[in-house]
Amino acid sequence: MWHYSLYIDVLLLFLIGLANLTSVSFKKSNAVTAERMKAFAHLANLVDLDLERCLKIHGGLVHLEGLKKLERLNINCCNCLRDSDISSLSGLTNLRELQMSSCKVTDIGIAHLKGLQNLVNLNLEGCLVTGAALEFISGLTSLLYLNLSRCCLTDDGCDKFTGLVKLKVLNLGFNNVTDSCLVHIKDLINLESLNLDSCKIGDDGLVNLKGLAQLRNLELSDTEVGSIGLRYLSGLRNLENVNLSFTMVTDSGLRKLSGLTSLKSLNLDCRQITDVGLVALASLSGLTHLDLFGARITDAGTSCLRNFKNLRSLELCGGYITDAGVKNIKDLVSLTVLNLSQNSSLTDRALEYVSGLTALVSLNVSNSHVTNAGLQHLKPLKNLRSLSLESCKVTATELKKLHLSSLPNLVNFRPE
């Protein structure tokens, strides 16, 4: 460690002579301290500085005050930083991107950012900020990307979102915001991505999203959304990715999604979903990712999957699939990821059906009746890099043989 610290001292001293340097990264370096950051003060042309996970820089940001050309600063996961540190950034008016997730910064610290009118990307995930900070953030009208996930937000202060009309990406996941917050989101018509993961959002709140015509990505997992609210999504023709896992959506609700022909990714990890719901999605032939982990899909329901010729990723882990169900997906030749774990009735015959899916990169058939004898069917899968057969009648020795003889690209295979 002493030798490494000495190396950093020499390197920082060397930096002093590189006045034209525009980009510097010391990511994950505990050798960078507040005292050693004096060297940065000489880098007047610096545009990009990465100090992510540098845990001893408290008090050192003062040495950045003269770097007027700085556009990108990454201090993610520097949990040593406090509000007083952020005051040193207030004069860096050329900053366009500020990454400061998981810092111990509060509303007081965010107040120092209010003059950074050129900020386009602001990441405050996991910071100790509340709705009071939105008073200052609302003045950053150039923002396109704003991450407030895992902060201390409630509905208080959410009315300040209305001024951020240029926003394209807004992450409010894992906050205590409710339907009342979404009232102030409805006029952000440039939104392309909205994350409400684990928020207290229900059906009534989704009415505020129906005018967001540019929305492509919507994260609603672990919310109180049910089938009734999905009718408000039916007009969002540009939606490409929707996550409805752990919601109260049922089969009847999925019919309201049938018109979303641009949809490419759909996560339906919901116990209420059955074969009936899957039939309702038959028109979504453009899907490339379908997650039915936990859904109660049977062999009969898998016949609907034949319509999804563009699927590249499929998860069917509800426990109701047999070899006959796997036969229905054997012609989905675009698949690169297939997860059939938890289906305990699967046998070696399932691997025989899978053998034609030569584009597969990842295959999971854990908790099944697959045996060593069935491994021969996997030999054509030359692109396979990950293979999981945990809790099967397969030995580590035979898996190793398969790897060495036929599947040289495997880098992850279990049992090990």
Side-chain angles (χ1 to χ4, degrees):
M1 178 59 72
W2 182 87
H3 293 292
Y4 178 65
S5 295
L6 181 61
Y7 167 76
I8 293 295
D9 283 333
V10 173
L11 181 58
L12 290 172
L13 185 63
F14 178 67
L15 287 180
I16 294 175
L18 299 178
N20 292 322
L21 205 62
T22 59
S23 180
V24 172
S25 176
F26 281 96
K27 184 178 290 188
K28 299 181 181 180
S29 176
N30 283 334
V32 177
T33 63
E35 177 67 20
R36 287 170 171 156
M37 285 182 67
K38 288 180 179 179
F40 296 143
H42 300 276
L43 303 179
N45 291 301
L46 203 61
V47 174
D48 190 343
L49 179 58
D50 188 348
L51 297 173
E52 182 172 327
R53 294 184 186 276
C54 292
L55 304 181
K56 296 183 179 180
I57 62 174
H58 171 53
L61 297 190
V62 66
H63 302 301
L64 306 183
E65 290 180 348
L67 305 184
K68 301 302 183 181
K69 294 184 180 181
L70 199 64
E71 294 182 10
R72 291 178 294 276
L73 177 60
N74 184 353
I75 47 176
N76 279 341
C77 303
C78 296
N79 56 20
C80 60
L81 296 179
R82 302 294 190 272
D83 293 332
S84 58
D85 294 294
I86 307 306
S87 66
S88 299
L89 306 181
S90 61
L92 301 180
T93 55
N94 211 41
L95 268 184
R96 293 176 55 81
E97 179 177 338
L98 179 56
Q99 301 285 335
M100 50 187 290
S101 66
S102 302
C103 295
K104 293 183 179 178
V105 175
T106 72
D107 302 334
I108 296 172
I110 303 305
H112 297 301
L113 305 180
K114 61 183 179 181
L116 305 184
Q117 293 299 312
N118 289 312
L119 266 186
V120 171
N121 189 337
L122 178 59
N123 182 0
L124 298 174
E125 179 173 358
C127 292
L128 305 175
V129 299
T130 70
L134 296 178
E135 176 72 36
F136 311 111
I137 294 173
S138 65
L140 304 176
T141 54
S142 294
L143 279 179
L144 300 179
Y145 310 92
L146 178 59
N147 188 348
L148 294 169
S149 175
R150 301 180 189 276
C151 292
C152 306
L153 299 183
T154 64
D155 294 334
D156 293 338
C158 285
D159 57 306
K160 303 303 180 183
F161 283 123
T162 56
L164 300 175
V165 293
K166 292 184 179 180
L167 271 185
K168 290 186 176 182
V169 176
L170 177 59
N171 188 342
L172 296 174
F174 299 92
N175 281 295
N176 288 318
V177 296
T178 72
D179 293 342
S180 297
C181 173
L182 296 191
V183 173
H184 308 294
I185 302 295
K186 65 181 181 180
D187 293 326
L188 304 184
I189 58 174
N190 291 303
L191 270 187
E192 296 177 4
S193 179
L194 178 60
N195 190 330
L196 298 167
D197 190 350
S198 302
C199 295
K200 297 178 180 178
I201 305 299
D203 292 335
D204 292 341
L206 296 191
V207 67
N208 297 294
L209 306 185
K210 66 179 183 179
L212 303 182
Q214 303 304 315
L215 205 60
R216 295 181 181 179
N217 304 293
L218 181 58
E219 173 67 65
L220 291 170
S221 61
D222 206 13
T223 62
E224 299 170 7
V225 169
S227 298
I228 295 174
L230 296 190
R231 69 183 186 274
Y232 300 121
L233 305 185
S234 60
L236 301 178
R237 301 298 183 180
N238 287 315
L239 267 182
E240 295 181 359
N241 307 291
V242 178
N243 189 341
L244 292 166
S245 61
F246 303 108
T247 61
M248 295 182 285
V249 171
T250 64
D251 293 333
S252 61
L254 295 186
R255 287 197 292 271
K256 300 179 178 68
L257 300 181
S258 61
L260 302 180
T261 53
S262 294
L263 211 58
K264 289 182 168 51
S265 176
L266 181 59
N267 189 332
L268 290 170
D269 187 352
C270 306
R271 294 300 298 176
Q272 301 95 322
I273 303 300
T274 71
D275 296 341
V276 175
L278 196 52
V279 172
L281 299 177
S283 63
L284 305 181
S285 57
L287 281 177
T288 58
H289 170 81
L290 181 58
D291 187 345
L292 294 164
F293 193 110
R296 293 179 291 154
I297 307 300
T298 70
D299 293 339
T302 59
S303 61
C304 301
L305 296 175
R306 295 172 180 171
N307 298 317
F308 303 132
K309 300 296 185 183
N310 296 308
L311 271 186
R312 300 189 64 187
S313 174
L314 176 63
E315 299 204 32
L316 279 171
C317 310
Y320 300 89
I321 306 298
T322 72
D323 297 338
V326 180
K327 185 177 181 180
N328 286 327
I329 63 176
K330 69 181 182 64
D331 295 323
L332 300 181
V333 295
S334 294
L335 280 177
T336 59
V337 176
L338 179 60
N339 187 349
L340 298 170
S341 63
Q342 316 305 320
N343 292 297
S344 59
S345 297
L346 297 182
T347 71
D348 294 341
R349 180 59 61 88
L351 297 190
E352 182 178 354
Y353 293 136
V354 167
S355 64
L357 302 178
T358 55
L360 279 180
V361 174
S362 175
L363 175 64
N364 189 340
V365 198
S366 297
N367 300 100
S368 67
H369 282 92
V370 168
T371 70
N372 285 333
L375 296 182
Q376 62 175 320
H377 299 302
L378 301 181
K379 292 180 179 180
L381 305 184
K382 302 301 183 183
N383 292 308
L384 209 59
R385 294 177 60 82
S386 177
L387 174 62
S388 184
L389 292 165
E390 294 184 74
S391 300
C392 296
K393 298 177 181 179
V394 173
T395 63
T397 301
E398 291 304 310
L399 267 178
K400 188 70 173 179
K401 287 181 181 178
L402 177 69
H403 168 48
L404 294 175
S405 66
S406 304
L407 302 178
N409 291 319
L410 272 181
V411 293
N412 178 27
F413 48 98
R414 297 182 179 182
E416 297 174 345

